[in-house]
mmCIF file of all heavy atoms in Angstrom:
data_model
loop_
_atom_site.group_PDB
_atom_site.id
_atom_site.type_symbol
_atom_site.label_atom_id
_atom_site.label_comp_id
_atom_site.label_asym_id
_atom_site.label_seq_id
_atom_site.Cartn_x
_atom_site.Cartn_y
_atom_site.Cartn_z
ATOM 1 N N VAL A 583 104.980 93.678 97.019
ATOM 2 C CA VAL A 583 104.665 93.947 98.430
ATOM 3 C C VAL A 583 105.920 93.847 99.289
ATOM 4 O O VAL A 583 106.129 94.653 100.205
ATOM 5 C CB VAL A 583 103.578 92.960 98.910
ATOM 6 C CG1 VAL A 583 103.367 93.097 100.413
ATOM 7 C CG2 VAL A 583 102.278 93.215 98.177
ATOM 8 N N ALA A 584 106.781 92.873 99.009
ATOM 9 C CA ALA A 584 108.008 92.700 99.783
ATOM 10 C C ALA A 584 108.937 93.901 99.630
ATOM 11 O O ALA A 584 109.484 94.414 100.610
ATOM 12 C CB ALA A 584 108.726 91.420 99.358
ATOM 13 N N GLU A 585 109.124 94.353 98.402
ATOM 14 C CA GLU A 585 110.003 95.499 98.177
ATOM 15 C C GLU A 585 109.447 96.754 98.847
ATOM 16 O O GLU A 585 110.192 97.529 99.463
ATOM 17 C CB GLU A 585 110.166 95.727 96.672
ATOM 18 C CG GLU A 585 111.176 96.808 96.321
ATOM 19 C CD GLU A 585 111.396 96.930 94.830
ATOM 20 O OE1 GLU A 585 110.922 96.038 94.100
ATOM 21 O OE2 GLU A 585 112.028 97.912 94.404
ATOM 22 N N SER A 586 108.141 96.954 98.771
ATOM 23 C CA SER A 586 107.522 98.115 99.405
ATOM 24 C C SER A 586 107.670 98.056 100.923
ATOM 25 O O SER A 586 107.997 99.058 101.573
ATOM 26 C CB SER A 586 106.045 98.187 99.018
ATOM 27 O OG SER A 586 105.399 99.232 99.710
ATOM 28 N N ALA A 587 107.452 96.877 101.521
ATOM 29 C CA ALA A 587 107.563 96.736 102.973
ATOM 30 C C ALA A 587 108.993 96.962 103.445
ATOM 31 O O ALA A 587 109.234 97.638 104.461
ATOM 32 C CB ALA A 587 107.076 95.348 103.397
ATOM 33 N N MET A 588 109.975 96.416 102.719
ATOM 34 C CA MET A 588 111.376 96.603 103.110
ATOM 35 C C MET A 588 111.768 98.070 103.019
ATOM 36 O O MET A 588 112.458 98.593 103.908
ATOM 37 C CB MET A 588 112.271 95.738 102.237
ATOM 38 C CG MET A 588 113.758 95.871 102.559
ATOM 39 S SD MET A 588 114.170 95.357 104.263
ATOM 40 C CE MET A 588 114.068 93.567 104.103
ATOM 41 N N ARG A 589 111.350 98.748 101.973
ATOM 42 C CA ARG A 589 111.681 100.172 101.849
ATOM 43 C C ARG A 589 111.059 100.984 102.991
ATOM 44 O O ARG A 589 111.675 101.915 103.510
ATOM 45 C CB ARG A 589 111.209 100.702 100.502
ATOM 46 C CG ARG A 589 111.996 100.167 99.321
ATOM 47 C CD ARG A 589 111.588 100.820 98.007
ATOM 48 N NE ARG A 589 112.297 100.231 96.878
ATOM 49 C CZ ARG A 589 113.533 100.579 96.508
ATOM 50 N NH1 ARG A 589 114.159 101.532 97.177
ATOM 51 N NH2 ARG A 589 114.116 99.995 95.487
ATOM 52 N N GLU A 590 109.844 100.635 103.375
ATOM 53 C CA GLU A 590 109.200 101.365 104.471
ATOM 54 C C GLU A 590 109.924 101.139 105.788
ATOM 55 O O GLU A 590 110.166 102.087 106.549
ATOM 56 C CB GLU A 590 107.735 100.923 104.582
ATOM 57 C CG GLU A 590 106.985 101.622 105.715
ATOM 58 C CD GLU A 590 105.519 101.245 105.754
ATOM 59 O OE1 GLU A 590 105.029 100.657 104.769
ATOM 60 O OE2 GLU A 590 104.865 101.548 106.767
ATOM 61 N N VAL A 591 110.281 99.902 106.085
ATOM 62 C CA VAL A 591 110.952 99.603 107.354
ATOM 63 C C VAL A 591 112.352 100.203 107.381
ATOM 64 O O VAL A 591 112.780 100.777 108.395
ATOM 65 C CB VAL A 591 111.002 98.082 107.582
ATOM 66 C CG1 VAL A 591 111.831 97.752 108.816
ATOM 67 C CG2 VAL A 591 109.591 97.529 107.733
ATOM 68 N N VAL A 592 113.089 100.098 106.274
ATOM 69 C CA VAL A 592 114.429 100.687 106.215
ATOM 70 C C VAL A 592 114.345 102.205 106.356
ATOM 71 O O VAL A 592 115.181 102.829 107.020
ATOM 72 C CB VAL A 592 115.126 100.294 104.897
ATOM 73 C CG1 VAL A 592 116.395 101.120 104.682
ATOM 74 C CG2 VAL A 592 115.471 98.817 104.907
ATOM 75 N N GLY A 593 113.322 102.816 105.773
ATOM 76 C CA GLY A 593 113.161 104.263 105.884
ATOM 77 C C GLY A 593 112.831 104.733 107.277
ATOM 78 O O GLY A 593 112.947 105.928 107.566
ATOM 79 N N GLN A 594 112.442 103.828 108.175
ATOM 80 C CA GLN A 594 112.124 104.185 109.550
ATOM 81 C C GLN A 594 113.296 103.927 110.501
ATOM 82 O O GLN A 594 113.160 104.174 111.702
ATOM 83 C CB GLN A 594 110.905 103.396 110.018
ATOM 84 C CG GLN A 594 109.629 103.726 109.266
ATOM 85 C CD GLN A 594 108.478 102.815 109.639
ATOM 86 O OE1 GLN A 594 108.659 101.824 110.356
ATOM 87 N NE2 GLN A 594 107.286 103.135 109.170
ATOM 88 N N ASN A 595 114.413 103.426 110.021
ATOM 89 C CA ASN A 595 115.546 103.069 110.876
ATOM 90 C C ASN A 595 116.795 103.816 110.428
ATOM 91 O O ASN A 595 116.918 104.227 109.273
ATOM 92 C CB ASN A 595 115.803 101.557 110.833
ATOM 93 C CG ASN A 595 114.721 100.762 111.529
ATOM 94 O OD1 ASN A 595 114.799 100.501 112.722
ATOM 95 N ND2 ASN A 595 113.686 100.360 110.795
ATOM 96 N N GLN A 596 117.760 103.948 111.369
ATOM 97 C CA GLN A 596 119.041 104.554 111.067
ATOM 98 C C GLN A 596 119.936 103.528 110.373
ATOM 99 O O GLN A 596 119.729 102.316 110.469
ATOM 100 C CB GLN A 596 119.710 105.061 112.347
ATOM 101 C CG GLN A 596 118.832 105.993 113.168
ATOM 102 C CD GLN A 596 118.559 107.295 112.468
ATOM 103 O OE1 GLN A 596 119.460 107.910 111.908
ATOM 104 N NE2 GLN A 596 117.313 107.735 112.486
ATOM 105 N N ILE A 597 120.969 104.026 109.700
ATOM 106 C CA ILE A 597 121.815 103.129 108.909
ATOM 107 C C ILE A 597 122.694 102.241 109.791
ATOM 108 O O ILE A 597 122.914 101.072 109.473
ATOM 109 C CB ILE A 597 122.671 103.940 107.912
ATOM 110 C CG1 ILE A 597 123.398 102.980 106.958
ATOM 111 C CG2 ILE A 597 123.646 104.856 108.629
ATOM 112 C CD1 ILE A 597 124.081 103.677 105.813
ATOM 113 N N ASP A 598 123.212 102.779 110.905
ATOM 114 C CA ASP A 598 124.135 101.992 111.734
ATOM 115 C C ASP A 598 123.482 100.733 112.303
ATOM 116 O O ASP A 598 124.069 99.649 112.223
ATOM 117 C CB ASP A 598 124.692 102.869 112.853
ATOM 118 C CG ASP A 598 125.643 103.933 112.318
ATOM 119 O OD1 ASP A 598 126.202 103.729 111.222
ATOM 120 O OD2 ASP A 598 125.825 104.979 112.974
ATOM 121 N N PRO A 599 122.277 100.804 112.898
ATOM 122 C CA PRO A 599 121.658 99.555 113.373
ATOM 123 C C PRO A 599 121.378 98.563 112.254
ATOM 124 O O PRO A 599 121.468 97.360 112.464
ATOM 125 C CB PRO A 599 120.360 100.045 114.034
ATOM 126 C CG PRO A 599 120.600 101.468 114.375
ATOM 127 C CD PRO A 599 121.500 101.982 113.291
ATOM 128 N N ILE A 600 121.034 99.058 111.065
ATOM 129 C CA ILE A 600 120.761 98.143 109.952
ATOM 130 C C ILE A 600 122.025 97.379 109.568
ATOM 131 O O ILE A 600 121.982 96.189 109.249
ATOM 132 C CB ILE A 600 120.209 98.917 108.747
ATOM 133 C CG1 ILE A 600 118.882 99.578 109.109
ATOM 134 C CG2 ILE A 600 120.018 97.993 107.546
ATOM 135 C CD1 ILE A 600 118.325 100.451 108.008
ATOM 136 N N LEU A 601 123.172 98.062 109.614
ATOM 137 C CA LEU A 601 124.428 97.417 109.232
ATOM 138 C C LEU A 601 124.946 96.482 110.309
ATOM 139 O O LEU A 601 125.790 95.635 110.030
ATOM 140 C CB LEU A 601 125.484 98.490 108.939
ATOM 141 C CG LEU A 601 125.217 99.406 107.733
ATOM 142 C CD1 LEU A 601 126.288 100.479 107.642
ATOM 143 C CD2 LEU A 601 125.154 98.602 106.442
ATOM 144 N N THR A 602 124.491 96.618 111.554
ATOM 145 C CA THR A 602 125.086 95.860 112.656
ATOM 146 C C THR A 602 124.090 94.899 113.296
ATOM 147 O O THR A 602 123.940 93.767 112.851
ATOM 148 C CB THR A 602 125.662 96.830 113.695
ATOM 149 O OG1 THR A 602 124.623 97.765 114.103
ATOM 150 C CG2 THR A 602 126.817 97.628 113.105
ATOM 151 N N GLN A 603 123.396 95.360 114.341
ATOM 152 C CA GLN A 603 122.695 94.424 115.211
ATOM 153 C C GLN A 603 121.200 94.337 114.999
ATOM 154 O O GLN A 603 120.546 93.485 115.607
ATOM 155 C CB GLN A 603 122.951 94.779 116.690
ATOM 156 C CG GLN A 603 122.154 95.992 117.195
ATOM 157 C CD GLN A 603 122.851 97.294 116.944
ATOM 158 O OE1 GLN A 603 123.832 97.338 116.207
ATOM 159 N NE2 GLN A 603 122.382 98.343 117.575
ATOM 160 N N ASP A 604 120.603 95.171 114.178
ATOM 161 C CA ASP A 604 119.147 95.214 114.088
ATOM 162 C C ASP A 604 118.574 94.488 112.877
ATOM 163 O O ASP A 604 117.442 94.772 112.469
ATOM 164 C CB ASP A 604 118.673 96.676 114.067
ATOM 165 C CG ASP A 604 118.557 97.241 115.467
ATOM 166 O OD1 ASP A 604 118.841 96.486 116.411
ATOM 167 O OD2 ASP A 604 118.196 98.420 115.600
ATOM 168 N N ARG A 605 119.300 93.555 112.305
ATOM 169 C CA ARG A 605 118.764 92.857 111.131
ATOM 170 C C ARG A 605 117.584 91.956 111.495
ATOM 171 O O ARG A 605 116.596 91.905 110.773
ATOM 172 C CB ARG A 605 119.864 92.034 110.464
ATOM 173 C CG ARG A 605 120.953 92.869 109.820
ATOM 174 C CD ARG A 605 121.827 92.024 108.921
ATOM 175 N NE ARG A 605 122.869 92.816 108.288
ATOM 176 C CZ ARG A 605 123.708 92.359 107.375
ATOM 177 N NH1 ARG A 605 123.624 91.098 106.994
ATOM 178 N NH2 ARG A 605 124.633 93.146 106.846
ATOM 179 N N ALA A 606 117.697 91.239 112.603
ATOM 180 C CA ALA A 606 116.612 90.336 112.993
ATOM 181 C C ALA A 606 115.315 91.097 113.271
ATOM 182 O O ALA A 606 114.251 90.697 112.772
ATOM 183 C CB ALA A 606 117.026 89.504 114.208
ATOM 184 N N PRO A 607 115.328 92.199 114.054
ATOM 185 C CA PRO A 607 114.073 92.950 114.215
ATOM 186 C C PRO A 607 113.517 93.489 112.906
ATOM 187 O O PRO A 607 112.295 93.519 112.718
ATOM 188 C CB PRO A 607 114.473 94.084 115.171
ATOM 189 C CG PRO A 607 115.649 93.566 115.916
ATOM 190 C CD PRO A 607 116.382 92.711 114.937
ATOM 191 N N ILE A 608 114.398 93.909 111.996
ATOM 192 C CA ILE A 608 113.920 94.423 110.707
ATOM 193 C C ILE A 608 113.259 93.306 109.914
ATOM 194 O O ILE A 608 112.218 93.515 109.263
ATOM 195 C CB ILE A 608 115.088 95.050 109.936
ATOM 196 C CG1 ILE A 608 115.514 96.364 110.607
ATOM 197 C CG2 ILE A 608 114.709 95.300 108.480
ATOM 198 C CD1 ILE A 608 116.720 97.002 109.982
ATOM 199 N N GLU A 609 113.833 92.116 109.936
ATOM 200 C CA GLU A 609 113.222 90.983 109.233
ATOM 201 C C GLU A 609 111.824 90.682 109.779
ATOM 202 O O GLU A 609 110.890 90.423 109.011
ATOM 203 C CB GLU A 609 114.120 89.751 109.360
ATOM 204 C CG GLU A 609 115.444 89.876 108.628
ATOM 205 C CD GLU A 609 116.388 88.729 108.935
ATOM 206 O OE1 GLU A 609 116.088 87.937 109.851
ATOM 207 O OE2 GLU A 609 117.430 88.623 108.272
ATOM 208 N N VAL A 610 111.676 90.743 111.091
ATOM 209 C CA VAL A 610 110.362 90.486 111.696
ATOM 210 C C VAL A 610 109.371 91.582 111.303
ATOM 211 O O VAL A 610 108.210 91.306 110.974
ATOM 212 C CB VAL A 610 110.500 90.382 113.224
ATOM 213 C CG1 VAL A 610 109.132 90.259 113.882
ATOM 214 C CG2 VAL A 610 111.361 89.183 113.599
ATOM 215 N N GLN A 611 109.818 92.845 111.321
ATOM 216 C CA GLN A 611 108.934 93.946 110.941
ATOM 217 C C GLN A 611 108.479 93.815 109.484
ATOM 218 O O GLN A 611 107.299 94.031 109.175
ATOM 219 C CB GLN A 611 109.648 95.274 111.146
ATOM 220 C CG GLN A 611 109.942 95.607 112.605
ATOM 221 C CD GLN A 611 110.691 96.915 112.743
ATOM 222 O OE1 GLN A 611 110.522 97.839 111.954
ATOM 223 N NE2 GLN A 611 111.526 97.003 113.757
#
């Protein structure tokens, strides 16, 4: 379930925010 959820959330975001400032919102999602 964790791997599936992370793939879904990462697939909804751009790469630059994931690499920089959007890690905390992604963790919450």
Side-chain angles (χ1 to χ4, degrees):
V583 173
E585 186 175 349
S586 175
M588 180 62 75
R589 290 186 184 278
E590 179 176 346
V591 174
V592 168
Q594 295 173 352
N595 290 270
Q596 306 293 315
I597 188 171
D598 290 337
I600 298 175
L601 295 175
T602 54
Q603 76 273 12
D604 276 0
R605 292 193 180 186
I608 289 176
E609 293 172 350
V610 174
Q611 293 178 32

